[in-house]
Amino acid sequence: MNGVQRTPVEAFDAKGVLITDVDEGQPCLQCGEACSGFSPHTWRKNCTSCKCPREAHDVCHEEWVSVRSRLGLKGDESNGPIGVDPRERGLAWAPPGLPSHKVEEYFSMLPEIAVPRLGTPGERHRDRQLAIQLPKQDLARAYCRHLDPKHASSADDFMAARNEIALDIGSVQEVPERDLECGVCESSLKYGSLAVSASKLGLLYHPTCFRCTDCKELLVDLAYCVHDDMLFCERHYAEQLKPRCAACDELIFSGEYTKAMNKDWHSGHFCCWQCDESLTGQRYVLRDEHPYCIKCYESVFANGCEECSKIIGIDSKDLSYKDKHWHEACFLCNRCRVSLVDKQFGSKVDKIYCGNCYDSQFASRCDGCGEIFRAGTKKMEYKTRQWHEKCFCCVVCKNPIGTKSFIPREQEIYCAGCYEDKFATRCVKCNKIITSGGVTYKNEPWHRDCFTCSNCNNSLAGQRFTSRDDKPYCADCFGELFAKRCTACSKPITGIGGTRFISFEDRHWHNDCFICAGCKTSLVGRGFITDADDIICPECAKMKLM
């Protein structure tokens, strides 16, 4: 089935009845390739190869036997208006008596994993649920390998009473009336929709509500038991009335059995998970919900001591560090052999040392005070340098920097405030820090607002200016204070912007003002004659002499 050939394995019970185990060799769905195939334990329900439970393997129920036959119920599962083999519809099982379109309608109301289409996860899920919800050993005494013959009648009585009073198979039908409620959720059932009928209780259920009260799983193939007016799968119905052995998975009909780990066990089945030796009256260790005798636990799970290489038994304290383990008495300094229990220690090249030995051999030194870093001491690191926490402080104010921002400069560490005070650019006028922008004049920094005319204090940033005695002046102030004045117009000759001027003796003119006093023509580049305070061209001079 599912592309895997299942080979039956023959076995016989105590009465010589042939028992066929079709799951022999089936792969484990949890371990994968780690399991060589399902190999049944002689009495436990788990695999001897991987120790996973039987239902964790790719199990199936025997040769597509009907659940009705498996339960020993009378009647034919295929009876009804249309008796069609589900396999012809591509299904491992379908509610009997429904036409094809109703079968599809029913399965559309269920989760995909609950639809047992051939060759799908739903088919394998059904197989596992059959094995879990309808355990063979609950249904027929022939499969009870650990039933004491003197309790056989009790088992027969239990099975007969269950089959008569509690066990049944539900049927799928259309909701016949309006205003009917689901037997579980009590919400209304839609008139004409499909519902599951449980004749033992005389109730209808939504298909997704037809579940075991205990495990909450959908009841496989609609097989159910009734107890206290509630639905159960057969497994959990039986456990309402009888204890079940946690090892062999069979019901216990004897009045004497073992209770341990909040579970029930046949008296001879409470055994070590590894060697199968009885643990009744013995010390044991619980690991992954399984009990182990002391010897097996120590051989399988106990750690080896790094010092003496012996097993650290359950009666010894196991001290560990970085996946290494020691006996308490073996947890010693590798150099001076002092005990390190409850003491600070250091580790180097897979060896452990007390604080003093570690410091003397391996400890690095602080770049601040030069002292070593003792084992367990907090260390502050920056690039290739390291400090004690108290030594990692500003070189100016001596305050510890801790996790605050800092600025390194020439092997020294500064807090932000001290760095600004000492190295930040300051305005030559106001001596305050220039945080953004600024003006450079004669290689010195100025705030833009501080770079002003030395006379009128108007800002010179972005303006034309000149200087006198290393002081900046705007053009207007410079002209008023220091520039030569034109003999003609009396205005200052500043020279800013390339202005040209003419000088003669102790007098000066703008180029535009150097004109003849008579004809007003420019005398720039021409000869001229002085006439008292005026200058005239040669022609006007001749005219004046005539």
Side-chain angles (χ1 to χ4, degrees):
M1 188 168 61
N2 302 335
V4 179
Q5 182 65 40
R6 301 178 187 266
T7 304
V9 176
E10 293 185 350
F12 297 85
D13 69 2
K15 291 191 174 183
V17 178
L18 176 65
I19 299 175
T20 301
D21 194 336
V22 298
D23 299 323
E24 180 85 9
Q26 291 307 112
C28 182
L29 302 177
Q30 291 181 355
C31 300
E33 296 180 359
C35 177
S36 59
F38 182 68
S39 174
H41 190 275
T42 54
W43 49 270
R44 280 201 185 99
K45 61 179 179 179
N46 65 290
C47 170
T48 59
S49 175
C50 66
K51 293 191 177 295
C52 291
R54 179 193 195 102
E55 56 268 19
H57 295 72
D58 193 15
V59 298
C60 72
H61 65 292
E62 308 90 304
E63 302 302 323
W64 303 99
V65 66
S66 72
V67 172
R68 183 172 290 276
S69 299
R70 180 180 181 130
L71 297 178
L73 299 176
K74 297 178 181 181
D76 184 0
E77 222 177 349
S78 65
N79 60 4
I82 301 178
V84 179
D85 185 348
R87 293 177 62 81
E88 295 179 4
R89 305 176 184 176
L91 296 164
W93 170 84
L98 291 181
S100 294
H101 70 282
K102 287 295 183 180
V103 169
E104 290 302 321
E105 179 184 344
Y106 169 75
F107 283 128
S108 71
M109 303 169 77
L110 301 180
E112 186 64 27
I113 192 64
V115 182
R117 299 191 190 280
L118 298 177
T120 70
E123 178 192 16
R124 294 189 292 275
H125 178 73
R126 173 180 178 258
D127 287 342
R128 288 192 291 275
Q129 289 302 309
L130 284 169
I132 294 171
Q133 294 189 28
L134 301 171
K136 294 182 294 185
Q137 65 272 18
D138 283 20
L139 305 178
R141 187 152 53 86
Y143 293 104
C144 297
R145 305 185 185 187
H146 306 286
L147 179 63
D148 191 310
K150 64 183 179 182
H151 301 126
S153 60
S154 295
D156 289 339
D157 291 343
F158 172 81
M159 294 178 187
R162 175 200 61 204
N163 294 351
E164 180 67 25
I165 299 171
L167 184 59
D168 197 9
I169 295 179
S171 62
V172 178
Q173 66 179 59
E174 293 183 353
V175 177
E177 301 175 20
R178 302 184 188 278
D179 300 327
L180 293 179
E181 293 182 349
C182 172
V184 171
C185 71
E186 297 183 352
S187 59
S188 62
L189 296 165
K190 184 178 179 181
Y191 173 68
S193 66
L194 294 181
V196 180
S197 171
S199 60
K200 290 283 186 182
L201 292 172
L203 297 173
L204 294 177
Y205 302 83
H206 292 110
T208 54
C209 291
F210 201 62
R211 298 173 180 268
C212 172
T213 301
D214 188 290
C215 65
K216 310 303 180 184
E217 292 286 344
L218 289 172
L219 291 162
V220 64
D221 292 10
L222 305 182
Y224 71 94
C225 287
V226 174
H227 181 69
D228 290 339
D229 293 331
M230 293 185 290
L231 298 173
F232 290 89
C233 65
E234 192 286 328
R235 168 181 291 276
H236 293 113
Y237 164 82
E239 291 174 8
Q240 301 296 310
L241 304 174
K242 295 290 181 181
R244 184 183 299 276
C245 179
C248 69
D249 205 38
E250 292 185 19
L251 297 174
I252 302 173
F253 292 97
S254 169
E256 295 181 1
Y257 59 93
T258 299
K259 293 188 73 68
M261 300 164 45
N262 294 320
K263 298 178 181 179
D264 302 315
W265 314 73
H266 283 113
S267 296
H269 286 178
F270 184 56
C271 299
C272 172
W273 185 250
Q274 184 73 14
C275 68
D276 290 346
E277 289 295 322
S278 175
L279 296 177
T280 302
Q282 304 296 319
R283 296 171 67 204
Y284 66 91
V285 180
L286 188 63
R287 175 71 179 249
D288 299 329
E289 297 187 358
H290 298 300
Y292 292 84
C293 67
I294 302 303
K295 181 179 179 181
C296 287
Y297 180 85
E298 292 183 345
S299 66
V300 176
F301 300 110
N303 299 301
C305 177
E306 288 291 317
E307 178 67 24
C308 68
S309 300
K310 296 179 180 179
I311 291 294
I312 303 175
I314 65 168
D315 294 323
S316 300
K317 184 178 291 187
D318 184 334
L319 303 181
S320 64
Y321 173 71
K322 288 188 175 180
D323 297 326
K324 296 183 181 298
H325 300 264
W326 293 264
H327 290 102
E328 185 175 19
C330 295
F331 194 56
L332 309 173
C333 172
N334 190 64
R335 188 179 183 191
C336 70
R337 311 307 293 169
V338 68
S339 174
L340 300 180
V341 177
D342 296 328
K343 295 180 181 177
Q344 287 187 337
F345 64 92
S347 173
K348 192 77 170 182
V349 194
D350 294 333
K351 301 294 184 181
I352 54 174
Y353 300 86
C354 66
N356 290 334
C357 290
Y358 182 89
D359 291 343
S360 64
Q361 283 196 275
F362 309 112
S364 53
R365 294 184 178 272
C366 173
D367 283 305
C369 67
E371 296 295 325
I372 63 173
F373 291 100
R374 298 192 178 278
T377 301
K378 190 173 183 179
K379 184 188 298 184
M380 310 296 288
E381 296 183 348
Y382 174 70
K383 292 187 176 179
T384 59
R385 306 177 68 198
Q386 51 192 358
W387 298 263
H388 293 107
E389 187 175 21
K390 67 179 181 179
C391 297
F392 189 57
C393 57
C394 174
V395 70
V396 177
C397 67
K398 307 302 181 182
N399 289 326
I401 291 174
T403 58
K404 295 181 293 187
S405 59
F406 65 93
I407 302 170
R409 183 183 175 95
E410 298 178 356
Q411 302 301 309
E412 303 288 358
I413 299 296
Y414 296 84
C415 66
C418 289
Y419 184 87
E420 287 187 350
D421 288 342
K422 188 167 186 177
F423 300 109
T425 301
R426 293 180 178 274
C427 175
V428 297
K429 184 175 182 180
C430 69
N431 200 37
K432 293 181 180 179
I433 295 172
I434 300 175
T435 57
S436 62
V439 175
T440 299
Y441 173 63
K442 291 186 177 295
N443 294 323
E444 292 182 322
W446 304 67
H447 288 112
R448 292 178 65 87
D449 293 340
C450 291
F451 188 59
T452 60
C453 173
S454 299
N455 184 59
C456 67
N457 283 328
N458 288 331
S459 175
L460 298 178
Q463 306 296 321
R464 296 167 59 195
F465 70 93
T466 188
S467 64
R468 176 80 172 226
D469 299 331
D470 292 332
K471 294 181 180 180
Y473 294 89
C474 65
D476 292 340
C477 288
F478 184 84
E480 290 294 332
L481 295 174
F482 307 111
K484 297 177 177 64
R485 291 189 176 270
C486 178
T487 299
C489 69
S490 299
K491 293 181 180 179
I493 302 172
T494 62
I496 295 175
T499 300
R500 300 173 69 180
F501 66 95
I502 295 168
S503 295
F504 176 70
E505 293 180 351
D506 59 347
R507 293 186 292 174
H508 311 278
W509 295 265
H510 292 108
N511 266 21
D512 294 340
C513 295
F514 192 57
I515 59 176
C516 175
C519 64
K520 306 302 181 185
T521 59
S522 175
L523 297 178
V524 177
R526 297 174 59 189
F528 63 91
I529 297 169
T530 61
D531 182 22
D533 291 334
D534 295 327
I535 55 174
I536 57 176
C537 64
E539 289 78 9
C540 288
K542 290 178 181 181
M543 290 294 294
K544 194 170 184 181
L545 294 173
M546 290 177 66

